[in-house]
Amino acid sequence: MKSQSPLHVTRPDAIKLSALIEHLSVTRGEQADLLQEVLDYADIVPSTSITAEVVTLNSRVVIEDALTGKATEITLVLPDQFDPAAGRISVVSPMGRALLGRRVGDVVAVQVPQGESREVRLKEIPYQPEAHGIHDE
């Protein structure tokens, strides 16, 4: 990952992701391991102390492809809410893992389905639950 800032994950998100990792370890061990790596690397913080510039679960974010400049809005969700047609990207996906805990301005490398790596810049976060008083703690 090419991010310049530390990775922050809220405590409620870490709890949800830990349960998800446990569930995935039975059927999709590699995805579980990759998501666990993100949690291992992250600073786990109270949701009340997370700033509005950090991507959390259910955040709506605008990313910009570094190569094409094309901006895309997506929402980071748990796998059971995954809906690519509606722009709902799973936190288990390469894009989801790369964006979780990152902040506006960060540039991250993401493996795309064709196997190549692509860089995207986190341009803005139009909606973050914690910024709107939703803390799940």
Side-chain angles (χ1 to χ4, degrees):
M1 291 184 222
K2 293 191 68 156
S3 180
Q4 296 81 28
S5 64
L7 182 69
H8 291 100
V9 173
T10 66
R11 189 170 296 118
D13 285 358
I15 291 167
K16 290 174 192 168
L17 294 173
S18 292
L20 176 60
I21 289 166
E22 187 174 326
H23 175 73
L24 288 175
S25 66
V26 175
T27 58
R28 295 187 275 178
E30 182 179 352
Q31 287 182 329
D33 292 344
L34 291 170
L35 193 53
Q36 184 63 57
E37 285 179 22
V38 173
L39 281 185
D40 290 345
Y41 180 73
D43 291 329
I44 308 302
V45 299
S47 65
T48 54
S49 69
I50 200 87
T51 64
E53 299 85 32
V54 176
V55 178
T56 63
L57 283 175
N58 298 308
S59 290
R60 196 170 67 244
V61 303
V62 177
I63 55 172
E64 181 179 71
D65 186 297
L67 185 61
T68 66
K70 180 182 177 194
T72 305
E73 186 170 289
I74 60 174
T75 302
L76 186 64
V77 298
L78 291 169
D80 63 338
Q81 299 167 330
F82 171 70
D83 182 357
R88 299 175 71 78
I89 304 302
S90 171
V91 69
V92 176
S93 71
M95 180 68 73
R97 287 191 314 269
L99 291 174
L100 179 69
R102 299 299 174 186
R103 65 179 54 246
V104 172
D106 283 352
V107 176
V108 295
V110 178
Q111 289 294 121
V112 293
Q114 297 80 14
E116 60 196 46
S117 182
R118 177 173 260 156
E119 288 186 352
V120 297
R121 181 173 71 87
L122 180 53
K123 193 170 178 180
E124 68 178 290
I125 303 175
Y127 174 80
Q128 181 215 59
E130 293 78 7
H132 287 82
I134 301 169
H135 295 286
D136 287 347
E137 285 189 301

